[in-house]
Amino acid sequence: MQSFNLNLKKCMNKQFTGIKMNKYLLHLISSVRRKKSSMLIIAFLLILIIFGIHYNRDVEPIVGQIFPKLLKETMDSSRVNFLSKNESSDNLNVDEYSQDKHERILAKDENFLNYLDSVKNIASMETEQNLGIPFVNSYIKNPYIPRKRLVHLDLKGAPPLISYYRRFFPFIKNLGATGILIEYEDMFPYDGVLRNMSAKNSYTKVQIAEILNLAEESHLEVIPLIQTFGHLEFALKLQDFRNLREVPDSPQALCPKRNGSLEFIKEMVNQVMALHPKIKYLHIGCDEVFQMAECELCRLELRETLFLRHVQNVSTMILKNFPSLKLIIWDDMLRHISQQTILDMNLGALVEPMIWVYAEDIYRFVQPLIWSKYSAIFPRVWAASAFKGAFGESLYVPDAKRHLENNLRWLDLMSHQAEDFRGGFVGLVLTGWQRYDHFAILCETLPAAVPSLALSLTAVTYGYFNASLKSIFLSALSCPRENSVSPFISLEYDPFLWDKLGRCLFPGSHIFRLVHKLNAAESETKDFVKQTKEQKGWLTDYNSRRKFSSPLRIEEIVSELPRLYHNMLSLVRNSFEAMEGVFDNFTITEWIEQRIYPYILQLEKIEKESTAIKSSKIWPARPLPILPELKRIIEGLRTY
């Protein structure tokens, strides 16, 4: 270090002789020599900045990259940071000539070697921040990559046509998927005593075989998911099985003590296994059993005991008939059950839990104590993230940035928690819910969520996501080549990826563009309705009930209505054009009814009300009489 300081002093004397600043710099060097090595580094960087600004512009790129590193080290490494909106990736490139030159200079002091090694990583990190990519331990030497990487297909809403799978399966395989978790619900072709459970547009047995063949051609493992406790609305809603409900008026959960409950589950499993003879894993659900221990048969038993015994009974029954199977259950119902209670039921030898959290802060939902409990019970566990269907029941396109962070957080957590389990993590499932339950409306359709899936699946396949994966990501999505200097994605400004990926030709890309059009039309129509019915004072519900308003003002207010109405009708036509070849007519019309038809009705209602108001040619004097219904309510309150 002493030798380094002497050389530095000589260098500075040569460069700054005759300059007024010389005495200040020498004084700085003298002071720094008495400090710790870390202070020397900071002082030398300040000298480089001054030197670079006034005498050698070649220094600027390298200093500009090294100096932020010192600031970065004072921050929590686990924090997620995004580049400010006014920064540009154009300013992050390091000049190769300057870098080589200053590497030779700075290499004389080994204290700078680590900084030089990280220059490229720093520049790259800032680029990812400019792209809006969360920085979640993305620059470790050995990123964690799950052994199995499955994509969840939730078929209780918007089930794709077989032709879509022909493109979709090779697509996800190309991005690194190793399998699919397929949740049939009422799309499975049940027969016999279960035949009424199947939807009228369910897949046929021949189509199931074709789906499995397509998956096999793409070397994708298939794991079926059968609900065996909660989320059985699709079956318990029917007259045939209402006697199996835990709560008579609600079909949410099965009563584990009813005669016929286990036989019902056994029949479902047997029929699914008959069409999936090659599978190694079977998922038996058991999540979100909201109604439990409420009926006359169960109310005297502890909820946790009731739950564990049912899982034990179902698992034992299945393994007796299919001993080579490995069973998976969702973990949420186990989180608050004591370790000893679970051990007493021998659940660790029967099932593997799939731990699911779709938010960014995973430890908030599954605390360290729960991980310790699981590791003491289960040799192996699974994890489940999400790429859609997790942040709102009525969304029609997922927030790709939030889902990416969820998956990156999972990779970070798995890398730390895996060693606590003897068999580690079996794999990670990227869930894609199509409805929140059987009665809910459709949320994001699979084609509209493909960009989000591609982003998260790429991250899971490589253990990180940064600009180095740009060509892999864009190529998989069949995006056109562009020579633009702008970032290839911009998650901070464009979390739905509409702007950056709107021209790509991935499977179902036309539906992705359709929802973008819907978003624009919906926003404009909502604004119009809000102004018409709430913000302006001539076409409110009060005016409509009384047919009392200014015709002149009405004409002014509804002048945009024909254009908006025409836009919505065009969207109906566009929906059929975009969705044909991906979904059947039942799904297309359901989506239109939920997404477009409500706005058509609102606009038609405003049109009728405005026409009725304008039909009046004379108007009564004020005050207007009290409405009979309102008068009834007021008089009732006075009496009360």
Side-chain angles (χ1 to χ4, degrees), residues 384-401:
S385 61
F387 70 91
K388 77 180 187 78
F391 298 132
E393 301 93 329
S394 60
L395 295 180
Y396 47 73
V397 65
D399 185 326
K401 182 176 77 172

Side-chain angles (χ1 to χ4, degrees), residues 9-56:
K9 183 175 179 180
K10 289 178 182 179
C11 177
M12 293 304 303
N13 284 335
K14 290 179 180 180
Q15 297 293 333
F16 293 99
T17 301
I19 307 296
K20 292 182 180 180
M21 294 178 61
N22 185 48
K23 62 179 181 179
Y24 295 105
L25 294 172
L26 291 175
H27 178 70
L28 176 61
I29 295 171
S30 178
S31 299
V32 168
R33 290 176 62 187
R34 298 192 297 269
K35 303 297 181 180
K36 296 179 180 180
S37 60
S38 60
M39 292 298 296
L40 273 172
I41 295 171
I42 296 174
F44 188 75
L45 287 173
L46 292 172
I47 294 169
L48 279 179
I49 292 173
I50 297 170
F51 181 80
I53 291 174
H54 292 284
Y55 295 98
N56 193 340

Side-chain angles (χ1 to χ4, degrees), residues 434-578:
Q434 193 54 76
R435 302 186 199 272
Y436 272 48
D437 67 31
H438 183 77
F439 292 109
I441 65 170
L442 296 170
C443 49
E444 308 102 298
T445 60
L446 180 59
V450 164
S452 175
L453 172 60
L455 190 67
S456 290
L457 184 54
T458 302
V460 169
T461 297
Y462 289 89
Y464 61 91
F465 191 91
N466 62 31
S468 68
L469 300 175
K470 171 183 175 179
S471 61
I472 293 172
F473 174 71
L474 295 180
S475 176
L477 290 165
S478 300
C479 298
R481 291 187 177 183
E482 295 183 357
N483 296 321
S484 173
V485 295
S486 64
F488 70 98
I489 57 172
S490 183
L491 293 174
E492 187 174 1
Y493 301 99
D494 183 27
F496 306 125
L497 298 172
W498 279 325
D499 294 338
K500 296 297 183 179
L501 304 183
R503 297 176 58 203
C504 303
L505 299 175
F506 52 84
S509 57
H510 37 296
I511 296 177
F512 180 69
R513 288 187 285 275
L514 171 68
V515 296
H516 192 190
K517 292 179 182 178
L518 170 62
N519 179 258
E522 180 184 62
S523 177
E524 194 174 21
T525 303
K526 280 183 175 179
D527 185 60
F528 170 78
V529 173
K530 185 177 180 62
Q531 286 194 35
T532 300
K533 304 300 292 183
E534 298 177 23
Q535 296 178 346
K536 298 195 175 186
W538 291 275
L539 196 47
T540 66
D541 290 340
Y542 174 86
N543 299 108
S544 297
R545 282 192 300 270
R546 301 294 189 149
K547 294 185 180 179
F548 188 86
S549 191
S550 165
L552 179 63
R553 293 288 190 176
I554 295 297
E555 287 287 350
E556 177 185 332
I557 290 172
V558 300
S559 61
E560 285 294 300
L561 192 147
R563 181 181 63 82
L564 296 174
Y565 186 73
H566 175 74
N567 286 348
M568 286 297 169
L569 293 181
S570 296
L571 273 176
V572 172
R573 181 175 60 253
N574 293 340
S575 299
F576 277 102
E577 293 171 354

